[in-house]
């Protein structure tokens, strides 16, 4: 009786023959890792979205409605900042589950949360639509957002690098991992200040708040394992300082002032007292 040859396993080549495959996460230790077509497509969509927002901003300014164009940038900024939060959250969660390094990752998580909160507050703190009155101003403000968006996205990537270094998966120094967070944070602070915050600051102290904070954030790079937390605290203090200075300025200028009308000597001489606020002074 002739032997029956072994039949090939039909399931063995099913994965190679089918045109579809399950979408799985890429390994962090994958050698020669490059950007996937999906990642490149996302980058292309982001570039197109910013370009379209820039065109609409110019048209909105030309028609006297800059607020409508600025809203498009806010809609782009939200997902960029959200992506940074999501990336940092996933990195910390994976580091805790895989390496049980909660104590090492808590300073990074807390610092990253403070940095993201400060970035959101600083970006939306001033009504920039009152500043954009010409196409030239709109062009500079709009395309300057490439630096804002890039630095915001780099903050999320830097937090991932810091987590990888803390758990021993990134073969770089602590200073280099810290710089991956502090440098884009400093760039974000300086860029937001240069594009619109400085136009709403009064006095030297207010003007120097964000640039000084950016410089201190860079200095935090050399604080070792506490660098990210220190950078987050500096960013939060910059927000607190800005809010305090602005509130103090408004409180000092909004109180009613009592002054005499020219030629009057007060009620005793039949004159009247003029109670006016700061907008009349």
């Amino acid at each position: 009786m002739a032997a029956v040859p072994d039949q090939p396993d039909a399931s063995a080549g099913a994965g190679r023959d089918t045109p579809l495959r399950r979408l799985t996460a890429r390994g962090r230790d994958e050698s020669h890792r490059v950007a996937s077509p999906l990642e490149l497509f996302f980058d292309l969509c982001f570039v197109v979205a910013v370009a379209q927002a820039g065109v609409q901003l110019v048209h909105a300014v030309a028609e006297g409605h800059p607020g409508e164009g600025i809203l498009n940038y806010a809609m782009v900024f939200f997902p960029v900042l959200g992506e940074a939060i999501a990336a940092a959250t996933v990195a910390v969660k994976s580091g805790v589950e895989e390496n049980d390094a909660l104590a090492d990752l808590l300073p990074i998580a807390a610092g990253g949360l403070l940095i993201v909160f400060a970035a959101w507050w600083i970006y939306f703190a001033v009504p920039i639509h009152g500043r954009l009155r010409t196409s030239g101003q709109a062009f500079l403000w709009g395309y300057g957002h490439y630096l804002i968006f890039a630095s915001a996205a780099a903050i999320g990537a830097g937090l991932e690098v810091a987590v990888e270094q803390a758990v021993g998966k990134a073969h770089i120094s602590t200073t280099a991992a810290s710089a991956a967070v502090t440098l884009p944070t400093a760039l974000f602070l300086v860029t937001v200040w240069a594009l619109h915050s400085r136009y709403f600051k009064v006095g030297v102290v207010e003007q120097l708040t964000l640039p000084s904070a950016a410089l201190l954030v860079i200095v935090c790079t050399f604080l070792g394992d506490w660098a990210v937390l220190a950078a987050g605290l500096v960013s939060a203090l910059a927000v607190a300082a800005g809010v305090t200075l602005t509130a103090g300025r408004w409180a000092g200028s909004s109180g009613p002032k009592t002054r005499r009308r020219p030629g009057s000597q007060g009620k005793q001489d039949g004159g009247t007292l003029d109670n006016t606020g700061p907008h009349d002074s």
Side-chain angles (χ1 to χ4, degrees):
M1 182 176 180
V4 179
D6 295 335
Q7 298 294 328
D9 187 2
S11 62
R16 296 190 296 268
D17 298 335
T18 179
L20 302 177
R21 64 178 181 177
R22 185 182 300 276
L23 182 63
T24 58
R26 304 175 67 183
R28 297 182 179 180
D29 55 349
E30 179 182 347
S31 60
H32 305 292
R33 178 174 178 176
V34 296
S36 67
L38 181 60
E39 292 170 330
L40 294 176
F41 178 71
F42 174 81
D43 295 339
L44 178 60
C45 291
F46 180 79
V47 172
V48 173
V50 175
Q52 289 297 316
V55 172
Q56 295 179 17
L57 176 63
V58 172
H59 288 306
V61 171
E63 296 174 359
H65 304 288
E68 297 178 2
I70 293 173
L71 179 61
N72 295 325
Y73 282 86
M75 294 176 66
V76 176
F77 181 72
F78 272 122
V80 171
L81 203 60
E83 188 276 336
I85 297 175
T89 302
V90 171
V92 172
K93 182 175 180 294
S94 300
V96 172
E97 292 178 349
E98 298 174 5
N99 301 277
D100 193 19
L102 180 60
D104 297 328
L105 297 181
L106 273 180
I108 299 176
L113 182 63
L114 290 174
I115 290 173
V116 171
F117 166 76
W120 174 84
W121 184 278
I122 292 171
Y123 183 82
F124 291 104
V126 294
I128 190 59
H129 63 274
R131 170 71 186 173
L132 304 181
R133 296 302 183 188
T134 66
S135 297
Q137 293 173 342
F139 181 88
L140 179 62
W141 185 86
Y143 284 97
H145 267 68
Y146 275 112
L147 290 176
I148 292 180
F149 294 149
S151 57
I155 290 173
L159 290 172
E160 288 191 84
V161 172
V163 170
E164 295 288 326
Q165 193 279 333
V167 298
K169 290 187 176 181
H171 304 292
I172 59 176
S173 65
T174 304
T175 302
S178 301
V181 179
T182 57
L183 294 184
T185 301
L187 178 60
F188 179 89
L189 295 175
V190 171
T191 306
V192 173
W193 171 82
L195 285 181
H196 59 252
S197 294
R198 62 190 178 99
Y199 298 110
F200 300 87
K201 302 297 183 181
V202 177
V204 177
V205 177
E206 289 189 22
Q207 286 288 0
L208 292 180
T209 299
L210 288 182
S212 300
L215 181 60
L216 290 176
V217 166
I218 294 176
V219 174
C220 292
T221 305
F222 307 99
L223 296 182
D225 295 335
W226 301 97
V228 177
L229 179 59
L233 291 174
V234 170
S235 302
L237 287 175
V239 172
V243 171
T244 302
L245 291 172
T246 302
R249 172 160 52 86
W250 279 101
S253 62
S254 61
K257 297 181 180 179
T258 302
R259 66 183 183 185
R260 302 181 188 277
R261 295 175 185 257
S264 66
Q265 298 296 325
K267 293 183 179 181
Q268 292 82 353
D269 298 332
T272 58
L273 295 180
D274 183 19
N275 295 324
T276 58
H279 55 281
D280 294 325
S281 59

